[in-house]
Each structure stands twice: as structure tokens, then as C-alpha cells.
Amino acid sequence: MKKTLFILFCCLFLASLCHGDQSVTITKVDPGGKCGSYYEVTLDFGGDDSYQAHYTMGQKYAQAILETYHDGDYEQSISAYFRYYVAYFNLNGLFYKDFMSRVSDLIEKFDSPDDEFYLYGAEIKGMASVIDSRENGYAFWDILTFFLLPENQLSFKELFLVNMISDVFSNTGCTSVSAWGSLTPDEDPAVKGCPIVGKNTDFPVGLTLEGELGKISSMHAVHYFKNQGSKKDMISIGFLGCLLLSEKGVNEDGLFLAENITPYITGDDYYESKGKDSISGVMRHCLENFHSADESAGYFLDGKSFTHGNVVTLVDPSEAKLVENSYLGSYIREYDSTLRSGPTGIITNEDTTPPEEWDYQKFSGPVLAATNSFQLPDQPYNHINTSKYRISTIESMVMAMDNDGVLTEDELMEIMSQGERLGGQDNIFRTDLSSTLQSTIYNSGKRTIKIHFAPCPFVVKKPDIPDYIDLNIGFIGEP
């Protein structure tokens, strides 16, 4: 009998060491109306967090993309998008080889078993084993490549670029607004006063030709990461092919992170990428390992340095805060932070009169707003026309919505989807070439997400209001 029990115990112990099957499923979801389609991606690691497990997941993911994306043209489409990005913006005279050099520098953080991003690198290398056309990326002058010699496959480095678009290009203008406390009452005592946050993702749309090819709006994706050993389950809302946190996400504890890129800082080391951290990797690490905004903020402030400036929104069911990261360092902005003594609308044109200073004390409850610009005194003056008018528009709209002392999800949705620049004649959130591709409303108390995906090939234009859908957050569960 003892022998039988011993054998049974051994079998149960060995079974506990075994991991479940790993799987990747991709389903295209078409909500209809004025909301674009997106891909729902579930990555189930089966409880295994080893290097081989992450490598295998990368392989499975790449194969699933090739089988699912529009007519199997994923490589051609994302490659065309990158060439458009470089050709249209041609940032400060930079060419494709310059961007690929930045990728090479950032990859170093993914190569050593001692690096925190090592397992993420395994996933991308797994993708490369399925999709890898050329080791060194583009070799021709970019404009010539774009028009005459189109490359329709992805190299090893370009797959890293897919995962680090904001790290490498860093030329977009996003917006976020968080409100909590007395502005967000609720009948349920468990969620009363919990923060709600609106987050717009503003990226270049891509090729101006009709159809889906070369448009990032054809690649909306929601990634569900499950069963990564002891790591937290999480959701990343971004674009197909990106296994890092492509701009925003939430974990099972209700922690929400989102990035606004602030590319207009001044300084000789703006384009320095050697030894820098990937903001996309840092945000995924936070969601997989931390439960609070405080923990995440501490991680950002612990010697992190990025290839560009950014303002990261950190929200959990208890609080909201911002971390402003520039080449000068990282600083936390909260409701009671000492902001600039001068106007927040400082811009590079001295002849332009900026709007009034944002005054948080005007509101009956705490509010934090961020555009692609800094507000803390320790950070550079990098406001430009678009960020200046966005921040003043947000203020005026929040003031109008706040007349009853409450800021609802629907009102926040209206703020995030409308614009009032120059007396209401212009739309500052949805433009022709660099559009609001995704607009998210997250309620940290109720753990709900409403989201708008810009349709492809079109963007919903003013005066139409984009449709927001209720996103399935699945395994994240109730608070």
C-alpha cells in the first residue's frame, strides 16, 4: 500500500512539473458601424515561462499572422507602412539605415540572459525563424527603395522594429485624460471614486492609396497573454505583430499603462540609442510583474533611459499619475505636482500667444491630462502648436462637462473624440495623415474598456462621432 501511494505521489509530482499545451489563436472581429475591425489574439503559454516556450510562441504567432492577415499580405503591408513612414516624415534628415541602426542598439537589451527583456527577445527570434527575408534590412537609399524597388518581406531587425515602432520612429502625438475621486462617483462602494482614463493613439495612417495595403489601421490587434508561469495575465492593445506593449495595456490586477510620445525635446542626445531601454519592453514588464501605479513608477525611475521623451499614464483602481521621461531623467506628475510657473502652451514660435495656463484647481475633483509634451518644470520646453491647442481644448471641454461635479465615461468619450481648435473650425484629434487610430476609455473600478478602432481605409471624420465598442477583457475578471 505504501509503495502504491509513493508511486501515486511521484506521478502527481511529475505531472505538476509538466506544462499545458501552448497555443496561439487569431480571430478577426468586425464590429460594424463606425468602428474598424481588429484582430483578437490569444497567446496561451500553458504555464511555461522558459526561453524555449517564448521562442515557440513567437513561431506560432508568426505562422498564425501569415495565415490570418488580409490575403496573407502581412509582410508586404507592414513593410510598405515602414517605407511610407520614413519617406513621408524623413525625420531630421534620417533615412532607413539610421532607424535600423537604432534597432541594432536596442536589440542589445534583449540578448543576454541577465537582461529583463531576454524572454521577449526569444519571442521575436521565434517570429524571425518563420519570417526572415534578410539579415541586415534595407541596403538602398530609402526613397529609391520606396518607389522603385519595394521590399515585401521582413528581416530579423525589421521584426524587432515591428515590436518597437514608438522606440524607433518616435514621431506621433497622443493624448490622455484621467479623472478620479469626486469626479467619478458610483453607487457601488467598491468602485466609487476609482479612476477612469481616456487614451488616444495618434499614429500616421500609412499609404494614401485606397485599400488596406500599407495602412496600420488594417492591423489593429488586442493581445491576450495567458499563463506565463508566475507572471500576471495581461492585455496589450496595439497592432498585429507586436508582442511587446504596443502603446497601452492592462493586467489582471487592473493596472493600466499607456504612452504619449514626446518627440520635440531639444538636446544633442535625442537620437542617441546606444544603451537605451525599450519603452515597449518596460511597459510590458510592468504589466507582467506589478499591481500598482506606484510600483510601476518606481521601475521607470530606477535608472531607465529611452531613445525619446515620453509621458506614461499609470492608472490602478486607487490612483492615477504620470511619469515624464526625457533625456534629463524621469519625474512623477500627480494632481498636486508643482507644474510650470509659466503657461503650459509654450511653443517654439515666440510670436504666438499661448493659451492660459492649465489650472487643476478649477475642477471639483482631481484631473490629469497629457499630450505629447512635458509640463513639469524639470523637463524641457517642447510644446508645439498641436499639443498646445489639445491641452487647452481638453481643459475647456472638461470644464464644460464638469458643471454637475461628475465626469462620466460618455463625457470622457466625447472629449477624446472631438476637437475645438480655432473656434471649433478644426478637428485636432482626427486628421488626414496622422490620425487617432485608437481611442480607449478604461474604467479601473469596473474593469471595463470601451474602444474605437479607426476603420480602414478611412478615418471617421468630424462631425461624425466614432463608435466605441465594449472590448472583451476576458480573463482579467472582476475587481
Side-chain angles (χ1 to χ4, degrees):
M1 180 67 178
K2 289 183 178 180
K3 182 177 180 181
T4 302
L5 289 174
F6 177 76
I7 293 174
L8 179 60
F9 173 80
C10 290
C11 291
L12 292 172
F13 176 75
L14 290 174
S16 71
L17 298 179
C18 298
H19 303 292
D21 292 335
Q22 296 173 279
S23 64
V24 175
T25 59
I26 302 180
T27 304
K28 188 172 183 179
V29 180
D30 187 0
K34 291 177 290 188
C35 183
S37 61
Y38 66 98
Y39 293 90
E40 188 175 89
V41 183
T42 301
L43 303 109
D44 191 333
F45 285 75
D48 194 349
D49 195 35
S50 66
Y51 183 93
Q52 184 57 50
H54 285 265
Y55 186 89
T56 301
M57 290 301 285
Q59 290 180 310
K60 291 177 177 290
Y61 182 45
Q63 189 60 49
I65 290 174
L66 295 180
E67 294 172 356
T68 308
Y69 181 74
H70 177 71
D71 293 333
D73 288 335
Y74 176 76
E75 294 171 271
Q76 181 183 6
S77 192
I78 193 70
S79 179
Y81 177 70
F82 288 153
R83 293 197 305 278
Y84 165 85
Y85 213 134
V86 175
Y88 181 78
F89 287 98
N90 194 221
L91 303 176
N92 289 4
L94 296 178
F95 295 98
Y96 207 93
K97 59 182 177 60
D98 299 304
F99 292 107
M100 298 313 294
S101 177
R102 298 182 80 180
V103 172
S104 297
D105 289 339
L106 289 166
I107 286 176
E108 293 179 5
K109 290 280 186 176
F110 294 77
D111 277 344
S112 170
D114 297 327
D115 293 332
E116 60 222 294
F117 305 148
Y118 182 58
L119 296 181
Y120 307 156
E123 293 171 359
I124 301 171
K125 290 173 183 177
M127 292 180 68
S129 70
V130 177
I131 309 173
D132 186 355
S133 64
R134 189 163 52 184
E135 175 63 28
N136 297 314
Y138 292 106
F140 298 104
W141 183 45
D142 302 306
I143 304 299
L144 179 63
T145 303
F146 179 72
F147 286 109
L148 300 179
L149 299 169
E151 168 64 65
N152 295 325
Q153 292 180 295
L154 296 174
S155 69
F156 174 70
K157 290 182 181 178
E158 286 167 327
L159 284 168
F160 268 92
L161 175 56
V162 171
N163 280 270
M164 299 186 293
I165 294 177
S166 64
D167 288 294
V168 176
F169 287 126
S170 60
N171 188 44
T172 56
C174 302
T175 304
S176 69
V177 180
S178 302
W180 67 100
S182 57
L183 278 179
T184 58
D186 196 277
E187 294 179 358
D188 185 347
V191 300
K192 184 177 181 180
C194 290
I196 59 174
V197 57
K199 176 66 175 70
N200 282 353
T201 298
D202 300 335
F203 270 30
V205 176
L207 293 175
T208 56
L209 301 176
E210 294 300 325
E212 296 187 5
L213 188 65
K215 291 184 175 65
I216 197 71
S217 52
S218 70
M219 306 175 199
H220 299 299
V222 180
H223 295 84
Y224 298 81
F225 291 79
K226 301 175 62 173
N227 302 322
Q228 293 186 77
S230 61
K231 292 177 180 174
K232 299 180 186 298
D233 291 346
M234 56 164 277
I235 295 173
S236 172
I237 304 171
F239 304 100
L240 199 63
C242 184
L243 286 170
L244 300 183
L245 194 69
S246 49
E247 221 262 340
K248 57 189 173 295
V250 62
N251 71 12
E252 63 182 56
D253 294 335
L255 173 64
F256 177 89
L257 267 68
E259 177 199 13
N260 294 340
I261 301 171
T262 61
Y264 302 104
I265 53 180
T266 58
D268 294 336
D269 57 352
Y270 167 47
Y271 285 110
E272 178 61 44
S273 51
K274 197 71 174 177
K276 301 290 187 177
D277 296 287
S278 162
I279 183 70
S280 306
V282 167
M283 290 199 297
R284 176 171 167 183
H285 180 90
C286 287
L287 290 184
E288 289 180 342
N289 295 279
F290 304 140
H291 78 278
S292 70
D294 269 337
E295 281 185 303
S296 301
Y299 185 67
F300 273 96
L301 269 62
D302 186 21
K304 296 293 181 291
S305 179
F306 305 103
T307 60
H308 62 277
N310 55 74
V311 179
V312 180
T313 300
L314 310 170
V315 174
D316 64 33
S318 300
E319 63 180 333
K321 59 180 60 181
L322 300 169
V323 177
E324 298 189 349
N325 305 291
S326 80
Y327 62 90
L328 295 178
S330 300
Y331 303 88
I332 296 177
R333 173 149 59 97
E334 299 176 288
Y335 169 62
D336 57 354
S337 297
T338 302
L339 300 179
R340 299 184 189 280
S341 58
T344 60
I346 292 174
I347 58 176
T348 55
N349 183 355
E350 296 180 357
D351 296 329
T352 303
T353 301
E356 294 181 1
E357 179 181 357
W358 176 282
D359 183 0
Y360 289 98
Q361 302 306 319
K362 292 180 180 178
F363 306 106
S364 61
V367 177
L368 275 175
T371 60
N372 56 323
S373 56
F374 296 123
Q375 289 190 45
L376 287 175
D378 297 312
Q379 301 292 24
Y381 290 123
N382 70 336
H383 294 275
I384 63 166
N385 280 310
T386 58
S387 59
K388 177 193 75 168
Y389 282 112
R390 264 180 293 146
I391 202 75
S392 61
T393 296
I394 291 168
E395 180 180 23
S396 64
M397 295 187 76
V398 170
M399 287 290 291
M401 302 293 184
D402 187 28
N403 56 2
D404 59 354
V406 175
L407 189 63
T408 67
E409 289 183 31
D410 287 343
E411 289 173 334
L412 187 56
M413 194 182 304
E414 185 176 344
I415 292 169
M416 303 310 295
S417 63
Q418 297 298 301
E420 294 181 348
R421 190 175 77 163
L422 301 179
Q425 299 303 309
D426 247 336
N427 172 17
I428 62 174
F429 296 104
R430 288 170 280 143
T431 59
D432 292 315
L433 297 176
S434 187
S435 298
T436 297
L437 295 178
Q438 299 170 359
S439 184
T440 305
I441 308 295
Y442 171 62
N443 187 317
S444 65
K446 297 179 178 179
R447 308 284 176 88
T448 58
I449 295 176
K450 296 181 182 296
I451 191 165
H452 167 74
F453 294 106
C456 183
F458 304 104
V459 174
V460 177
K461 303 296 290 184
K462 196 176 178 180
D464 287 340
I465 297 177
D467 286 340
Y468 286 72
I469 61 172
D470 293 316
L471 190 67
N472 172 29
I473 58 175
F475 56 84
I476 295 301
E478 298 297 326

